[in-house]
Amino acid sequence: MQFGLAHNGNLTNAASLKKELEDRGAIFSATSDSEILAHLIRRSHNPSLMGKIKEALSLVKGGFAYILIFEDKLIAALDPNGFRPLSIGKMANGAVVVSSETCAFEVIGAEWIRDLKPGEIVIIDDKGIQYDSYTDDTQLAICSMEYIYFARPDSNIHGVNVHTARKRMGAQLAREFKHEADIVVGVPNSSLSAAMGFAEESGLPNEMGLIKNQYTQRTFIQPTQELREQGVRMKLSAVSGVVKGKRVVMVDDSIVRGTTSRRIVQLLKEAGATEVHVAIGSPALAYPCFYGIDIQTRQELIAANHTVEETRQIIGADSLTYLSVEGLIDSIGIETDAPNGGLCVAYFDGDYPTPLYDYEEDYRRSLEEKTSFTSSRLKILHKRKGLKNDK
Ligand code: SF4
């Protein structure tokens, strides 16, 4: 049986499954966890292809959106929490397409049909489109970072346009902001929508105080601190003619390590801003992600190791305001009865929607390390002890 496989996400039980498979003679050709599903399908004793795929999907845990291509069919599947988005579209000639962002449909002239639901499988072949599922134990908890940072503003996820959600986050942030300022400056590009919302709500002018060099990569993906610092320098310039003599609200989508924020505050001050108030369109990122974002240790996150006041001092801002978790959930506004408005907000509150399997012990140990957040960590630890018995 030959097939191709694409995977967006991260499996939380990859190490255990890989060991089990290797003990049974499987040979892995790469370090990626994407290969695991292929081995599980191949080794299943279920007589039907769909039976093998469903069995394999029920063994993998964590965040995954898969696309499998066989000679005569395309199959797509989503994890039981739908951490990653996956949508189905149709071309004018009847061809069916699958994408993790709906903006791709516009590019190729396809029409959006619908988003895949948690735990769902779609089978596309010459009979058309059939929907099926491999589990009933599902609950929507889509990654809130998709709305905050990852997805393109022209994409829609679960009926919510990303630009509109970001504008609402900016407006809510303005309601939570408590300082005096003259202008709003969004950090290009992912924060421009939030800056628009902030300016509209606060009545302050939205100015282009920062210009982005279009040809650089996202800085947090760079492997070393030196490269990240260099990346920020190459990426942005402050516009002195706009910010000089002004009290600036600098709207950004998030602070991960603080490198980028510190450098941008410095750029704005060097360009003549008299005050720089940093307003972040998401809550403080204090916990790692195990579902597909490559930050798996708390040491890397500035908010995991410093209070808001300490972070403000490190980045050199005159004030620092984060959006509240409730404000984030209300701003996104998915129509659902699922907890947290159908969102995963574990990055902010450490309350993961699933057990962490292979990561559980490391994570527990990292919470027990001494920091300034002892009481909130104890609360999370207490919750996680309960969670472990759930599933
Ligand atoms: S932990 Fe954070 S980044 Fe990971 S899925 Fe949840 S919200 Fe997204």
Side-chain angles (χ1 to χ4, degrees):
M1 176 176 36
Q2 282 202 329
F3 58 94
L5 181 152
H7 170 207
N8 179 21
N10 184 58
L11 304 184
T12 44
N13 63 342
S16 323
L17 283 176
K18 191 173 178 190
K19 185 171 182 318
E20 234 174 274
L21 284 159
E22 282 177 336
D23 288 348
R24 284 161 52 203
I27 295 169
F28 283 79
S29 53
T31 51
S32 148
D33 61 358
S34 305
E35 225 177 319
I36 288 170
L37 191 83
H39 283 287
L40 290 171
I41 293 171
R42 280 234 178 81
R43 286 173 177 266
S44 165
H45 295 299
N46 197 296
S48 76
L49 176 64
M50 283 315 294
K52 288 179 199 295
I53 293 173
K54 285 184 182 182
E55 186 186 298
L57 287 168
S58 60
L59 291 172
V60 291
K61 306 292 177 199
F64 54 83
Y66 282 115
I67 298 182
L68 302 159
I69 187 158
F70 295 84
E71 207 178 359
D72 59 346
K73 58 173 76 61
L74 188 90
I75 293 174
L78 203 55
D79 70 70
N81 295 94
F83 286 111
R84 303 285 145 219
L86 200 60
S87 304
I88 316 292
K90 204 170 202 167
M91 306 282 287
N93 66 3
V96 180
V97 286
V98 182
S99 173
S100 56
E101 284 209 37
T102 60
C103 62
F105 296 154
E106 303 290 332
V107 177
I108 59 168
E111 187 194 340
W112 172 83
I113 299 176
R114 78 165 172 86
D115 293 345
L116 232 64
K117 296 176 194 155
E120 202 171 32
I121 309 181
V122 59
I123 303 118
I124 301 151
D125 58 16
D126 54 10
K127 291 194 225 84
I129 309 175
Q130 299 157 64
Y131 297 96
D132 198 348
S133 62
Y134 61 93
T135 175
D136 295 330
D137 190 8
T138 62
Q139 185 147 79
L140 182 64
I142 186 163
C143 172
S144 49
M145 285 303 283
E146 295 282 351
Y147 292 94
I148 294 164
Y149 176 72
F150 289 116
R152 268 181 36 165
D154 48 344
S155 283
N156 300 324
I157 313 172
H158 293 296
V160 177
N161 170 253
V162 173
H163 161 76
T164 309
R166 285 180 191 162
K167 259 188 94 177
R168 288 196 294 249
M169 289 173 213
Q172 177 60 29
L173 184 58
R175 289 190 282 275
E176 295 179 16
F177 183 79
K178 305 273 179 269
H179 307 275
E180 295 285 318
D182 302 312
I183 59 170
V184 177
V185 171
V187 177
N189 286 330
S190 54
S191 310
L192 297 181
S193 307
M196 247 178 246
F198 191 108
E200 267 181 29
E201 181 65 26
S202 63
L204 296 173
N206 186 20
E207 296 286 2
M208 200 161 70
L210 290 163
I211 300 282
K212 187 180 181 191
N213 172 355
Q214 305 291 345
Y215 304 102
T216 54
Q217 297 174 19
R218 288 181 171 185
T219 46
F220 97 97
I221 296 168
Q222 297 288 356
T224 66
Q225 185 66 12
E226 196 189 342
L227 282 174
R228 283 192 289 274
E229 301 250 8
Q230 195 184 53
V232 179
R233 281 196 296 273
M234 285 172 63
K235 202 162 89 167
L236 284 173
S237 311
V239 185
S240 175
V242 173
V243 303
K244 196 168 182 178
K246 300 280 185 350
R247 295 171 298 175
V248 174
V249 183
M250 176 192 127
V251 177
D252 205 352
D253 48 61
S254 52
I255 301 181
V256 181
R257 299 176 184 86
T259 314
T260 307
S261 310
R262 189 177 68 236
R263 180 65 190 141
I264 304 171
V265 170
Q266 197 183 334
L267 281 175
L268 289 166
K269 290 207 165 173
E270 282 167 7
T274 53
E275 290 174 20
V276 178
H277 297 273
V278 175
I280 301 296
S282 64
L285 303 184
Y287 297 89
C289 176
F290 304 100
Y291 306 121
I293 308 301
D294 194 16
I295 293 190
Q296 290 174 357
T297 65
R298 301 190 78 225
Q299 284 80 355
E300 297 173 80
L301 301 168
I302 195 166
N305 301 294
H306 298 280
T307 62
V308 175
E309 173 54 20
E310 285 167 358
T311 306
R312 179 196 72 73
Q313 286 176 24
I314 292 168
I315 65 172
D318 292 278
S319 75
L320 171 60
T321 308
Y322 288 103
L323 181 64
S324 62
V325 175
E326 302 72 36
L328 174 78
I329 292 169
D330 289 352
S331 305
I332 295 175
I334 300 172
E335 276 189 32
T336 177
D337 296 330
N340 295 325
L343 296 165
C344 172
V345 288
Y347 226 158
F348 313 114
D349 66 7
D351 196 2
Y352 295 89
T354 67
L356 297 178
Y357 298 98
D358 295 342
Y359 295 103
E360 191 77 45
E361 273 318 304
D362 279 352
Y363 178 62
R364 193 180 285 269
R365 227 173 291 126
S366 81
L367 287 180
E368 276 160 353
E369 282 162 15
K370 192 173 169 287
T371 77
S372 47
F373 289 94
T374 313
S375 64
S376 66
R377 283 168 170 224
L378 285 176
K379 212 167 78 196
I380 299 296
L381 261 178
H382 183 75
K383 267 190 171 174
R384 293 211 59 72
K385 277 175 187 155
L387 233 182
K388 256 207 124 175
N389 305 326
D390 276 7
K391 291 200 178 184

